[in-house]
Amino acid sequence: MNTLRNKVQLIGNLGNDPEIINLESGKTLAKFNIATNESYTNNKGEKVTDTQWHNVVAWGKTAQIIEKYVTKGKEVAIEGKLTSRSYDDKDGNKRYITEVVCSELLMLGK
């Protein structure tokens, strides 16, 4: 059960082309976001779609695969862990971000 402590699985579509960063250390980083949709019927009988956006990062070979094959609009399934961090923006304001560190990627659709 220890492997289930921090595990995220999402299926969604990329909202933009991945940002690929090649670091001086030789590591590759891919940053992108995916949209997940949930539909339900409200109390007025209307169909409502709720879209949630998720920040995703991937490293190494996973990032290299994303660079070659994944583009805006593609449907993907990802698995990874949820992380939170903070940083100071250019104006000195503290910003917080939560993202999924992707360890597995499956390309879906056409």
Short mmCIF file of all heavy atoms in Angstrom, two decimals, residues 7-65:
data_model
loop_
_atom_site.label_atom_id
_atom_site.label_comp_id
_atom_site.label_asym_id
_atom_site.label_seq_id
_atom_site.Cartn_x
_atom_site.Cartn_y
_atom_site.Cartn_z
N LYS A 7 -0.28 9.16 -5.43
CA LYS A 7 -0.39 8.68 -6.80
C LYS A 7 -1.54 9.40 -7.48
O LYS A 7 -2.63 9.49 -6.94
CB LYS A 7 -0.64 7.18 -6.80
CG LYS A 7 -0.63 6.56 -8.18
CD LYS A 7 -0.76 5.05 -8.04
CE LYS A 7 -0.57 4.36 -9.36
NZ LYS A 7 -0.63 2.91 -9.21
N VAL A 8 -1.28 9.92 -8.67
CA VAL A 8 -2.28 10.64 -9.44
C VAL A 8 -2.38 9.98 -10.81
O VAL A 8 -1.36 9.70 -11.44
CB VAL A 8 -1.88 12.13 -9.62
CG1 VAL A 8 -2.86 12.86 -10.48
CG2 VAL A 8 -1.72 12.80 -8.28
N GLN A 9 -3.61 9.75 -11.27
CA GLN A 9 -3.87 9.25 -12.61
C GLN A 9 -4.88 10.18 -13.25
O GLN A 9 -5.94 10.43 -12.67
CB GLN A 9 -4.41 7.83 -12.58
CG GLN A 9 -3.43 6.81 -12.06
CD GLN A 9 -4.03 5.42 -12.01
OE1 GLN A 9 -5.20 5.23 -11.71
NE2 GLN A 9 -3.21 4.42 -12.32
N LEU A 10 -4.55 10.70 -14.43
CA LEU A 10 -5.44 11.61 -15.14
C LEU A 10 -5.51 11.25 -16.61
O LEU A 10 -4.52 10.80 -17.19
CB LEU A 10 -4.92 13.06 -15.04
CG LEU A 10 -4.84 13.68 -13.65
CD1 LEU A 10 -4.09 15.00 -13.72
CD2 LEU A 10 -6.24 13.89 -13.09
N ILE A 11 -6.68 11.44 -17.20
CA ILE A 11 -6.84 11.35 -18.64
C ILE A 11 -7.41 12.68 -19.09
O ILE A 11 -8.43 13.15 -18.57
CB ILE A 11 -7.79 10.21 -19.05
CG1 ILE A 11 -7.20 8.86 -18.65
CG2 ILE A 11 -8.07 10.25 -20.55
CD1 ILE A 11 -8.12 7.68 -18.91
N GLY A 12 -6.72 13.31 -20.04
CA GLY A 12 -7.18 14.61 -20.51
C GLY A 12 -6.49 15.01 -21.80
O GLY A 12 -5.71 14.24 -22.37
N ASN A 13 -6.78 16.23 -22.23
CA ASN A 13 -6.21 16.76 -23.47
C ASN A 13 -5.25 17.90 -23.16
O ASN A 13 -5.53 18.74 -22.30
CB ASN A 13 -7.33 17.27 -24.38
CG ASN A 13 -8.23 16.14 -24.83
OD1 ASN A 13 -9.15 15.76 -24.12
ND2 ASN A 13 -7.95 15.60 -25.99
N LEU A 14 -4.15 17.95 -23.92
CA LEU A 14 -3.18 19.02 -23.74
C LEU A 14 -3.78 20.35 -24.17
O LEU A 14 -4.38 20.46 -25.23
CB LEU A 14 -1.92 18.76 -24.56
CG LEU A 14 -0.82 18.00 -23.82
CD1 LEU A 14 -1.17 16.55 -23.67
CD2 LEU A 14 0.51 18.21 -24.47
N GLY A 15 -3.57 21.36 -23.34
CA GLY A 15 -4.08 22.69 -23.64
C GLY A 15 -3.12 23.51 -24.48
O GLY A 15 -3.50 24.55 -25.03
N ASN A 16 -1.88 23.08 -24.56
CA ASN A 16 -0.87 23.77 -25.35
C ASN A 16 0.23 22.79 -25.73
O ASN A 16 0.27 21.68 -25.21
CB ASN A 16 -0.28 24.95 -24.56
CG ASN A 16 0.32 24.52 -23.23
OD1 ASN A 16 0.16 23.38 -22.79
ND2 ASN A 16 1.02 25.41 -22.57
N ASP A 17 1.08 23.20 -26.65
CA ASP A 17 2.24 22.37 -26.95
C ASP A 17 3.16 22.33 -25.74
O ASP A 17 3.30 23.35 -25.05
CB ASP A 17 3.01 22.92 -28.16
CG ASP A 17 2.29 22.66 -29.48
OD1 ASP A 17 1.55 21.67 -29.56
OD2 ASP A 17 2.49 23.46 -30.42
N PRO A 18 3.78 21.20 -25.46
CA PRO A 18 4.68 21.13 -24.31
C PRO A 18 5.85 22.10 -24.45
O PRO A 18 6.36 22.33 -25.55
CB PRO A 18 5.18 19.69 -24.33
CG PRO A 18 4.22 18.95 -25.18
CD PRO A 18 3.67 19.93 -26.16
N GLU A 19 6.26 22.65 -23.32
CA GLU A 19 7.47 23.47 -23.27
C GLU A 19 8.61 22.52 -22.91
O GLU A 19 8.57 21.86 -21.87
CB GLU A 19 7.33 24.56 -22.21
CG GLU A 19 8.57 25.40 -22.03
CD GLU A 19 8.45 26.39 -20.87
OE1 GLU A 19 7.38 26.47 -20.25
OE2 GLU A 19 9.46 27.05 -20.59
N ILE A 20 9.61 22.44 -23.77
CA ILE A 20 10.73 21.53 -23.57
C ILE A 20 11.95 22.35 -23.17
O ILE A 20 12.32 23.32 -23.85
CB ILE A 20 11.04 20.71 -24.84
CG1 ILE A 20 9.79 19.98 -25.34
CG2 ILE A 20 12.21 19.76 -24.60
CD1 ILE A 20 9.21 18.98 -24.36
N ILE A 21 12.57 21.96 -22.06
CA ILE A 21 13.75 22.66 -21.56
C ILE A 21 14.88 21.64 -21.45
O ILE A 21 14.74 20.62 -20.78
CB ILE A 21 13.47 23.29 -20.18
CG1 ILE A 21 12.30 24.27 -20.29
CG2 ILE A 21 14.71 23.97 -19.64
CD1 ILE A 21 11.76 24.74 -18.97
N ASN A 22 15.98 21.92 -22.15
CA ASN A 22 17.18 21.08 -22.05
C ASN A 22 18.14 21.77 -21.10
O ASN A 22 18.67 22.83 -21.40
CB ASN A 22 17.81 20.89 -23.43
CG ASN A 22 16.92 20.06 -24.33
OD1 ASN A 22 16.57 18.94 -24.00
ND2 ASN A 22 16.53 20.62 -25.47
N LEU A 23 18.35 21.15 -19.94
CA LEU A 23 19.18 21.74 -18.90
C LEU A 23 20.66 21.50 -19.18
O LEU A 23 21.02 20.57 -19.90
CB LEU A 23 18.79 21.17 -17.55
CG LEU A 23 17.32 21.36 -17.17
CD1 LEU A 23 16.99 20.61 -15.89
CD2 LEU A 23 16.99 22.83 -17.02
N GLU A 24 21.50 22.34 -18.58
CA GLU A 24 22.95 22.20 -18.76
C GLU A 24 23.46 20.85 -18.27
O GLU A 24 24.46 20.35 -18.76
CB GLU A 24 23.68 23.33 -18.04
CG GLU A 24 23.49 24.68 -18.68
CD GLU A 24 24.23 25.79 -17.95
OE1 GLU A 24 25.14 25.48 -17.15
OE2 GLU A 24 23.91 26.96 -18.20
N SER A 25 22.76 20.28 -17.31
CA SER A 25 23.16 18.98 -16.77
C SER A 25 22.92 17.84 -17.76
O SER A 25 23.33 16.71 -17.52
CB SER A 25 22.38 18.70 -15.48
OG SER A 25 21.00 18.56 -15.77
N GLY A 26 22.21 18.14 -18.85
CA GLY A 26 21.89 17.12 -19.84
C GLY A 26 20.49 16.55 -19.68
O GLY A 26 20.02 15.80 -20.52
N LYS A 27 19.82 16.91 -18.59
CA LYS A 27 18.45 16.44 -18.36
C LYS A 27 17.47 17.21 -19.22
O LYS A 27 17.69 18.37 -19.56
CB LYS A 27 18.06 16.60 -16.89
CG LYS A 27 18.79 15.67 -15.96
CD LYS A 27 18.27 15.82 -14.54
CE LYS A 27 18.99 14.87 -13.60
NZ LYS A 27 18.47 14.99 -12.23
N THR A 28 16.38 16.54 -19.58
CA THR A 28 15.31 17.17 -20.36
C THR A 28 14.08 17.29 -19.47
O THR A 28 13.72 16.36 -18.76
CB THR A 28 14.97 16.32 -21.60
OG1 THR A 28 16.16 16.15 -22.37
CG2 THR A 28 13.91 16.98 -22.45
N LEU A 29 13.43 18.45 -19.54
CA LEU A 29 12.22 18.73 -18.78
C LEU A 29 11.12 19.11 -19.75
O LEU A 29 11.33 19.91 -20.66
CB LEU A 29 12.47 19.88 -17.80
CG LEU A 29 11.26 20.50 -17.09
CD1 LEU A 29 10.61 19.47 -16.17
CD2 LEU A 29 11.68 21.73 -16.32
N ALA A 30 9.95 18.51 -19.58
CA ALA A 30 8.77 18.88 -20.36
C ALA A 30 7.72 19.44 -19.41
O ALA A 30 7.45 18.84 -18.36
CB ALA A 30 8.21 17.67 -21.10
N LYS A 31 7.17 20.61 -19.76
CA LYS A 31 6.10 21.23 -18.97
C LYS A 31 4.89 21.40 -19.87
O LYS A 31 5.02 21.87 -21.00
CB LYS A 31 6.51 22.62 -18.49
CG LYS A 31 7.61 22.66 -17.49
CD LYS A 31 7.87 24.13 -17.13
CE LYS A 31 8.74 24.30 -15.94
NZ LYS A 31 8.89 25.72 -15.58
N PHE A 32 3.72 21.02 -19.37
CA PHE A 32 2.49 21.20 -20.15
C PHE A 32 1.31 21.17 -19.19
O PHE A 32 1.46 20.90 -18.00
CB PHE A 32 2.36 20.14 -21.24
CG PHE A 32 2.38 18.71 -20.75
CD1 PHE A 32 1.21 18.01 -20.55
CD2 PHE A 32 3.58 18.07 -20.50
CE1 PHE A 32 1.22 16.70 -20.11
CE2 PHE A 32 3.61 16.75 -20.06
CZ PHE A 32 2.43 16.07 -19.87
N ASN A 33 0.14 21.48 -19.71
CA ASN A 33 -1.07 21.35 -18.90
C ASN A 33 -2.08 20.51 -19.64
O ASN A 33 -2.08 20.45 -20.87
CB ASN A 33 -1.63 22.71 -18.48
CG ASN A 33 -1.95 23.62 -19.63
OD1 ASN A 33 -2.39 23.17 -20.67
ND2 ASN A 33 -1.74 24.90 -19.46
N ILE A 34 -2.91 19.82 -18.87
CA ILE A 34 -3.98 19.02 -19.48
C ILE A 34 -5.31 19.42 -18.84
O ILE A 34 -5.36 19.82 -17.67
CB ILE A 34 -3.75 17.50 -19.38
CG1 ILE A 34 -3.76 17.01 -17.94
CG2 ILE A 34 -2.48 17.08 -20.07
CD1 ILE A 34 -3.76 15.50 -17.83
N ALA A 35 -6.34 19.29 -19.64
CA ALA A 35 -7.70 19.57 -19.19
C ALA A 35 -8.44 18.26 -19.01
O ALA A 35 -8.41 17.40 -19.88
CB ALA A 35 -8.43 20.44 -20.21
N THR A 36 -9.08 18.11 -17.86
CA THR A 36 -9.96 16.98 -17.63
C THR A 36 -11.39 17.51 -17.56
O THR A 36 -11.62 18.61 -17.04
CB THR A 36 -9.62 16.23 -16.33
OG1 THR A 36 -9.65 17.14 -15.23
CG2 THR A 36 -8.24 15.60 -16.42
N ASN A 37 -12.33 16.77 -18.10
CA ASN A 37 -13.73 17.20 -18.15
C ASN A 37 -14.62 16.22 -17.40
O ASN A 37 -14.45 15.00 -17.51
CB ASN A 37 -14.21 17.29 -19.60
CG ASN A 37 -13.44 18.34 -20.38
OD1 ASN A 37 -13.32 19.47 -19.94
ND2 ASN A 37 -12.90 17.96 -21.52
N GLU A 38 -15.57 16.78 -16.68
CA GLU A 38 -16.58 15.98 -16.00
C GLU A 38 -17.93 16.59 -16.34
O GLU A 38 -18.12 17.80 -16.22
CB GLU A 38 -16.36 16.03 -14.49
CG GLU A 38 -17.36 15.23 -13.71
CD GLU A 38 -17.12 15.29 -12.21
OE1 GLU A 38 -16.17 15.95 -11.76
OE2 GLU A 38 -17.92 14.68 -11.50
N SER A 39 -18.85 15.76 -16.80
CA SER A 39 -20.19 16.24 -17.17
C SER A 39 -21.23 15.74 -16.18
O SER A 39 -21.13 14.61 -15.70
CB SER A 39 -20.56 15.78 -18.58
OG SER A 39 -19.68 16.33 -19.53
N TYR A 40 -22.19 16.59 -15.91
CA TYR A 40 -23.30 16.21 -15.04
C TYR A 40 -24.52 17.03 -15.43
O TYR A 40 -24.43 18.00 -16.17
CB TYR A 40 -22.95 16.43 -13.56
CG TYR A 40 -22.65 17.86 -13.20
CD1 TYR A 40 -23.65 18.70 -12.72
CD2 TYR A 40 -21.36 18.38 -13.34
CE1 TYR A 40 -23.38 20.02 -12.39
CE2 TYR A 40 -21.08 19.70 -13.01
CZ TYR A 40 -22.09 20.51 -12.53
OH TYR A 40 -21.83 21.81 -12.22
N THR A 41 -25.67 16.61 -14.93
CA THR A 41 -26.92 17.32 -15.18
C THR A 41 -27.29 18.09 -13.91
O THR A 41 -27.37 17.51 -12.83
CB THR A 41 -28.05 16.34 -15.53
OG1 THR A 41 -27.62 15.57 -16.67
CG2 THR A 41 -29.32 17.07 -15.88
N ASN A 42 -27.48 19.40 -14.05
CA ASN A 42 -27.82 20.22 -12.88
C ASN A 42 -29.30 20.06 -12.53
O ASN A 42 -30.04 19.33 -13.18
CB ASN A 42 -27.43 21.68 -13.09
CG ASN A 42 -28.22 22.38 -14.18
OD1 ASN A 42 -29.25 21.89 -14.64
ND2 ASN A 42 -27.72 23.53 -14.61
N ASN A 43 -29.73 20.77 -11.48
CA ASN A 43 -31.11 20.61 -11.01
C ASN A 43 -32.15 21.18 -11.97
O ASN A 43 -33.34 20.95 -11.81
CB ASN A 43 -31.29 21.22 -9.61
CG ASN A 43 -30.88 22.68 -9.56
OD1 ASN A 43 -30.53 23.27 -10.57
ND2 ASN A 43 -30.91 23.25 -8.37
N LYS A 44 -31.71 21.91 -13.00
CA LYS A 44 -32.62 22.42 -14.04
C LYS A 44 -32.71 21.47 -15.23
O LYS A 44 -33.37 21.76 -16.21
CB LYS A 44 -32.17 23.79 -14.52
CG LYS A 44 -32.22 24.86 -13.46
CD LYS A 44 -31.72 26.19 -14.00
CE LYS A 44 -31.71 27.23 -12.91
NZ LYS A 44 -31.12 28.49 -13.36
N GLY A 45 -31.97 20.34 -15.16
CA GLY A 45 -31.98 19.37 -16.24
C GLY A 45 -31.00 19.69 -17.36
O GLY A 45 -31.01 19.04 -18.40
N GLU A 46 -30.13 20.69 -17.13
CA GLU A 46 -29.17 21.10 -18.16
C GLU A 46 -27.86 20.34 -17.97
O GLU A 46 -27.42 20.12 -16.84
CB GLU A 46 -28.88 22.61 -18.04
CG GLU A 46 -30.10 23.47 -18.15
CD GLU A 46 -29.86 24.89 -17.66
OE1 GLU A 46 -29.04 25.11 -16.77
OE2 GLU A 46 -30.53 25.79 -18.20
N LYS A 47 -27.26 19.96 -19.10
CA LYS A 47 -25.96 19.28 -19.04
C LYS A 47 -24.88 20.34 -18.81
O LYS A 47 -24.81 21.34 -19.53
CB LYS A 47 -25.69 18.52 -20.33
CG LYS A 47 -24.38 17.75 -20.30
CD LYS A 47 -24.14 16.98 -21.58
CE LYS A 47 -22.80 16.29 -21.52
NZ LYS A 47 -22.46 15.63 -22.77
N VAL A 48 -24.05 20.10 -17.81
CA VAL A 48 -22.97 21.02 -17.45
C VAL A 48 -21.65 20.27 -17.55
O VAL A 48 -21.54 19.14 -17.06
CB VAL A 48 -23.16 21.57 -16.02
CG1 VAL A 48 -22.02 22.49 -15.63
CG2 VAL A 48 -24.50 22.27 -15.89
N THR A 49 -20.66 20.89 -18.17
CA THR A 49 -19.32 20.30 -18.24
C THR A 49 -18.39 21.14 -17.39
O THR A 49 -18.27 22.35 -17.58
CB THR A 49 -18.81 20.24 -19.69
OG1 THR A 49 -19.72 19.45 -20.46
CG2 THR A 49 -17.42 19.62 -19.76
N ASP A 50 -17.73 20.49 -16.45
CA ASP A 50 -16.76 21.15 -15.58
C ASP A 50 -15.37 20.76 -16.06
O ASP A 50 -15.03 19.58 -16.10
CB ASP A 50 -16.99 20.70 -14.14
CG ASP A 50 -15.98 21.31 -13.18
OD1 ASP A 50 -15.64 22.50 -13.36
OD2 ASP A 50 -15.53 20.60 -12.25
N THR A 51 -14.57 21.76 -16.43
CA THR A 51 -13.21 21.52 -16.90
C THR A 51 -12.21 21.95 -15.82
O THR A 51 -12.29 23.06 -15.31
CB THR A 51 -12.93 22.30 -18.19
OG1 THR A 51 -13.88 21.90 -19.18
CG2 THR A 51 -11.52 22.05 -18.70
N GLN A 52 -11.30 21.06 -15.49
CA GLN A 52 -10.22 21.36 -14.54
C GLN A 52 -8.89 21.29 -15.29
O GLN A 52 -8.68 20.40 -16.12
CB GLN A 52 -10.20 20.32 -13.41
CG GLN A 52 -11.44 20.32 -12.54
CD GLN A 52 -11.53 21.57 -11.69
OE1 GLN A 52 -10.55 22.03 -11.12
NE2 GLN A 52 -12.74 22.12 -11.59
N TRP A 53 -8.01 22.24 -14.99
CA TRP A 53 -6.69 22.29 -15.62
C TRP A 53 -5.63 21.82 -14.63
O TRP A 53 -5.67 22.18 -13.46
CB TRP A 53 -6.37 23.70 -16.10
CG TRP A 53 -7.19 24.08 -17.27
CD1 TRP A 53 -8.39 24.73 -17.29
CD2 TRP A 53 -6.89 23.78 -18.64
NE1 TRP A 53 -8.86 24.87 -18.56
CE2 TRP A 53 -7.96 24.30 -19.42
CE3 TRP A 53 -5.85 23.13 -19.28
CZ2 TRP A 53 -7.98 24.18 -20.81
CZ3 TRP A 53 -5.87 23.02 -20.66
CH2 TRP A 53 -6.92 23.54 -21.41
N HIS A 54 -4.69 21.00 -15.12
CA HIS A 54 -3.66 20.42 -14.28
C HIS A 54 -2.29 20.71 -14.89
O HIS A 54 -2.07 20.45 -16.07
CB HIS A 54 -3.85 18.90 -14.18
CG HIS A 54 -5.25 18.51 -13.82
ND1 HIS A 54 -5.70 18.47 -12.52
CD2 HIS A 54 -6.31 18.18 -14.60
CE1 HIS A 54 -6.97 18.11 -12.52
NE2 HIS A 54 -7.36 17.93 -13.77
N ASN A 55 -1.38 21.25 -14.08
CA ASN A 55 0.00 21.47 -14.50
C ASN A 55 0.76 20.15 -14.38
O ASN A 55 0.65 19.46 -13.36
CB ASN A 55 0.67 22.52 -13.62
CG ASN A 55 0.02 23.87 -13.75
OD1 ASN A 55 -0.22 24.33 -14.86
ND2 ASN A 55 -0.28 24.50 -12.63
N VAL A 56 1.52 19.83 -15.42
CA VAL A 56 2.25 18.56 -15.45
C VAL A 56 3.70 18.83 -15.84
O VAL A 56 3.97 19.66 -16.72
CB VAL A 56 1.62 17.57 -16.47
CG1 VAL A 56 2.35 16.24 -16.46
CG2 VAL A 56 0.14 17.38 -16.19
N VAL A 57 4.63 18.13 -15.19
CA VAL A 57 6.04 18.17 -15.59
C VAL A 57 6.52 16.73 -15.76
O VAL A 57 6.04 15.82 -15.08
CB VAL A 57 6.93 18.91 -14.57
CG1 VAL A 57 6.56 20.37 -14.49
CG2 VAL A 57 6.90 18.27 -13.21
N ALA A 58 7.44 16.54 -16.68
CA ALA A 58 8.03 15.22 -16.90
C ALA A 58 9.53 15.40 -17.14
O ALA A 58 9.96 16.40 -17.70
CB ALA A 58 7.39 14.53 -18.10
N TRP A 59 10.30 14.42 -16.72
CA TRP A 59 11.75 14.48 -16.81
C TRP A 59 12.29 13.33 -17.66
O TRP A 59 11.62 12.32 -17.84
CB TRP A 59 12.37 14.37 -15.42
CG TRP A 59 12.09 15.53 -14.54
CD1 TRP A 59 11.04 15.68 -13.68
CD2 TRP A 59 12.87 16.72 -14.44
NE1 TRP A 59 11.13 16.89 -13.04
CE2 TRP A 59 12.23 17.54 -13.48
CE3 TRP A 59 14.03 17.17 -15.05
CZ2 TRP A 59 12.73 18.79 -13.14
CZ3 TRP A 59 14.53 18.41 -14.70
CH2 TRP A 59 13.89 19.20 -13.76
N GLY A 60 13.51 13.49 -18.13
CA GLY A 60 14.26 12.40 -18.76
C GLY A 60 13.62 11.82 -20.01
O GLY A 60 13.17 12.54 -20.89
N LYS A 61 13.59 10.49 -20.07
CA LYS A 61 13.07 9.80 -21.26
C LYS A 61 11.60 10.11 -21.49
O LYS A 61 11.16 10.22 -22.64
CB LYS A 61 13.29 8.30 -21.13
CG LYS A 61 14.76 7.90 -21.14
CD LYS A 61 14.94 6.52 -21.70
CE LYS A 61 16.39 6.12 -21.71
NZ LYS A 61 17.11 6.60 -22.86
N THR A 62 10.82 10.26 -20.43
CA THR A 62 9.41 10.61 -20.58
C THR A 62 9.29 11.97 -21.26
O THR A 62 8.48 12.15 -22.17
CB THR A 62 8.69 10.62 -19.21
OG1 THR A 62 8.88 9.35 -18.58
CG2 THR A 62 7.21 10.88 -19.38
N ALA A 63 10.11 12.92 -20.85
CA ALA A 63 10.10 14.26 -21.47
C ALA A 63 10.52 14.19 -22.94
O ALA A 63 9.96 14.90 -23.78
CB ALA A 63 11.03 15.20 -20.70
N GLN A 64 11.47 13.33 -23.27
CA GLN A 64 11.92 13.19 -24.65
C GLN A 64 10.81 12.60 -25.53
O GLN A 64 10.63 13.01 -26.68
CB GLN A 64 13.18 12.34 -24.71
CG GLN A 64 14.38 13.02 -24.07
CD GLN A 64 15.57 12.09 -23.87
OE1 GLN A 64 15.52 10.91 -24.20
NE2 GLN A 64 16.65 12.64 -23.32
N ILE A 65 10.06 11.65 -25.00
CA ILE A 65 8.92 11.08 -25.75
C ILE A 65 7.86 12.15 -25.97
O ILE A 65 7.31 12.28 -27.06
CB ILE A 65 8.36 9.86 -25.00
CG1 ILE A 65 9.35 8.71 -25.07
CG2 ILE A 65 7.00 9.45 -25.57
CD1 ILE A 65 9.05 7.55 -24.15
#
